[in-house]
Amino acid sequence: MRAPAALRDRRQEFFEGMRLGIGPGAATFVLALSFGAEAVARDWGFGLPILFSMFAWSGSAQFALLTSFASGSAVVAVTSAVLINARYLMMSLALNDSLRGGRFSRALQAQALCDASFVVAHGTKGGYDIVRLVGASVPQWFLWAAGTAVGALTAPSPDLMHHLGLDVAFPAFFVILALDELRRSKRALAAGLLGATIAAGLLFITTPSYALLGAIAGALLGVLPDSAVPEEEGEQA
């Protein structure tokens, strides 16, 4: 018996999401190597970094906690992680209307939200394909946890990572994702330019973490009515 067309479409979108998630997953694997090695160097042991990566699955927050705990202040560590992940508030608001099902189902779907999957799932006409988002997150989660394990086991030195150019793999891949998103519409381009300008200005007076937080203000263009923003390229006649 053949599967219904709707089910086949969902499977196709899921596997397409997995395919698109392999690229950013490879980049997160490289970053996870650094996290695992650094965590072991800071006496976290072998198992704790891996469990942390499996349940937290947030590179920026995990590195913030790792470095902040070194100063001995748990409050600073947790605050830094929360502030860095504040961008997910904006992302979750954009994703909310695309979630389906009851509260538990919607909450479960939202656990797949991460930066690269958010971009991959964004439709050309607005809205987000949740099945594709979940599919894209599967390889990223697996490779993040696996990379942490390999990093904790092998403990590659920062000099080796730099010599091989692996330290720039993660940011370079996200630049590519950002450029692809910026080409989609004038609204996205305006938000990106505004966020970059805010971040660049804040770097003169504060740390990169707070500059990144301030750049989130550029996403506020998304809440403006369509009449206040130049018409989307895809909707022009």
Side-chain angles (χ1 to χ4, degrees):
M1 181 176 181
R2 298 183 61 185
L7 181 58
R8 291 199 304 271
D9 290 342
R10 289 168 64 88
R11 288 178 178 173
Q12 183 177 353
E13 287 299 326
F14 179 81
F15 287 116
E16 176 66 10
M18 288 191 66
R19 184 186 68 82
L20 295 172
I22 292 175
T28 59
F29 180 86
V30 173
L31 185 64
L33 288 174
S34 297
F35 174 76
E38 185 66 19
V40 170
R42 294 180 185 271
D43 299 323
W44 279 37
F46 177 75
L48 182 58
I50 300 173
L51 290 175
F52 192 24
S53 287
M54 291 176 64
F55 288 98
W57 187 37
S58 175
S60 54
Q62 289 180 228
F63 273 105
L65 283 169
L66 184 65
T67 56
S68 299
F69 271 132
S71 65
S73 174
V75 175
V76 172
V78 174
T79 301
S80 299
V82 171
L83 289 175
I84 288 175
N85 273 359
R87 68 188 186 279
Y88 285 111
L89 292 175
M90 293 292 185
M91 294 165 65
S92 61
L93 287 175
L95 193 70
N96 184 58
D97 290 341
S98 299
L99 299 174
R100 297 291 181 267
R103 291 183 178 180
F104 178 78
S105 176
R106 293 165 67 89
L108 192 61
Q109 295 168 44
Q111 299 309 303
L113 177 61
C114 68
D115 297 302
S117 298
F118 183 75
V119 175
V120 166
H122 189 200
T124 57
K125 297 182 179 180
Y128 294 84
D129 189 321
I130 302 301
V131 175
R132 178 177 291 201
L133 181 139
V134 174
S137 295
V138 169
Q140 293 180 77
W141 177 85
F142 177 80
L143 289 170
W144 175 254
T148 302
V150 174
L153 182 64
T154 61
S157 69
D159 290 338
L160 176 62
M161 300 283 287
H162 179 73
H163 179 72
L164 296 176
L166 298 180
D167 53 340
V168 299
F170 190 76
F173 195 89
F174 274 90
V175 168
I176 295 173
L177 286 177
L179 291 176
D180 181 64
E181 183 70 11
L182 294 178
R183 287 197 297 265
R184 294 190 179 193
S185 71
K186 293 181 179 179
R187 183 190 290 265
L189 179 60
L193 291 175
L194 178 59
T197 301
I198 294 172
L202 289 176
L203 283 175
F204 288 100
I205 58 175
T206 186
T207 63
S209 297
Y210 289 106
L212 177 63
L213 178 63
I216 298 174
L220 292 175
L221 284 178
V223 303
L224 295 177
D226 291 339
S227 59
V229 182
E231 187 178 7
E232 302 288 341
E233 293 178 353
E235 296 176 359
Q236 291 178 349

